Amino acid sequence: MKKIEQIDLNVTLEKKEYKKKLKKLQFEMLNIQQFLYNNKIGLILVFEGMDAAGKGGAIKRLTQRLDPRGLVVHPISAPQYHEKRYHYLHRFWRKLPQRGQVAIFDRSWYGRVLVERIEGFATDDEWMRAYDEINSFEKTLTDDDFIIIKFWIHVDEQEQLNRFKERETNPYKMWKLTDEDWRNREKFDDYIECANDMFNMTDTKNAPWFLVSGNNKHYARIQVLKETIKQIKKESKRRGLTISDTGNEI
């Protein structure tokens, strides 16, 4: 069973090595994007994790060299009033990519078993049955022509606090910090408990979770790229397809 407590938050990656690996992996990812397009396979990437864990930075590096015509990033926040009239998965069905394209979810349908569970926005019956609903939703997609990869990026409380304080004083990052972020810090342990339950119930072969150490941003970004590439290659092989080698070793 995957658990947050098993993540080694002390791992690091030097900037020089980071830049070297980043360039190679981004080229590999661009090659894979073309492969997915040519074979009409949709890619869905889910990003969850603690506030200020580096989800946005990882997404930016993952998509930096890709063809923007074939991807979309969905920043997910609380549902709008009109969206509450439907089943909670409805708004995510509407955001799924076409076959051959990439959709990235910065937060996702897992809000039902995380923030909605913790804040009481979902009843016990609603969030408990959501595990089966989500597994069914994801299997419906992966049984078709879609690949789903899910990331949880984690930082410890001290590193999160350091990043919050940096955002308070950096005029280019102030918009990232909200009162809600500070409130969520008070429930740090609750999020760990709920996330561990989530991994236990929804870490499946067809839609696996990858837990990433986020205290070092360079390490986290490289790990996200590496795991994305490896999982796509694995799923392609299972489909009897081979991705042409770029000559770069991961």
Side-chain angles (χ1 to χ4, degrees), residues 179-231:
D179 290 340
E180 185 177 349
D181 294 329
W182 287 109
R183 288 196 299 271
N184 288 342
R185 257 186 72 78
E186 299 175 3
K187 300 181 180 181
F188 198 93
D189 292 339
D190 292 336
Y191 275 94
I192 291 178
E193 179 185 355
C194 292
N196 283 336
D197 287 346
M198 177 179 74
F199 305 142
N200 183 44
M201 298 297 292
T202 63
D203 179 38
T204 59
K205 288 183 179 180
N206 61 292
W209 279 103
F210 293 94
L211 279 56
V212 178
S213 174
N215 274 14
N216 182 279
K217 293 181 180 180
H218 292 161
Y219 176 85
R221 293 165 185 172
I222 293 301
Q223 283 302 111
V224 166
L225 271 160
K226 286 174 66 174
E227 295 295 352
T228 299
I229 291 168
K230 288 181 180 179
Q231 186 64 17

Side-chain angles (χ1 to χ4, degrees), residues 89-104:
L89 287 174
H90 176 267
R91 64 179 176 139
F92 300 107
W93 274 108
R94 292 169 56 87
K95 292 178 171 63
L96 295 177
Q98 300 175 35
R99 293 185 181 89
Q101 297 194 342
V102 181
I104 297 175

Side-chain angles (χ1 to χ4, degrees), residues 33-59:
Q33 184 191 27
Q34 297 302 309
F35 165 84
L36 295 172
Y37 174 77
N38 291 331
N39 288 277
K40 297 297 180 284
I41 298 172
L43 175 63
I44 298 169
L45 300 176
V46 171
F47 284 83
E48 294 285 355
M50 294 300 188
D51 294 324
K55 296 180 293 297
I59 292 170

Side-chain angles (χ1 to χ4, degrees), residues 95-154:
K95 292 178 171 63
L96 295 177
Q98 300 175 35
R99 293 185 181 89
Q101 297 194 342
V102 181
I104 297 175
F105 289 86
D106 184 353
R107 302 294 189 187
S108 68
W109 41 92
Y110 283 97
R112 174 56 57 111
V113 297
L114 290 170
V115 63
E116 292 186 33
R117 170 184 173 179
I118 292 169
E119 299 294 341
F121 298 146
T123 67
D124 288 349
D125 286 342
E126 286 174 333
W127 67 256
M128 284 190 290
R129 72 169 183 257
Y131 296 125
D132 288 336
E133 293 170 342
I134 289 170
N135 286 336
S136 177
F137 168 64
E138 293 176 348
K139 193 170 189 307
T140 297
L141 295 169
T142 57
D143 281 350
D144 195 48
D145 294 318
F146 290 90
I147 295 172
I148 298 178
I149 306 171
K150 303 175 297 197
F151 290 102
W152 176 276
I153 305 180
H154 195 71

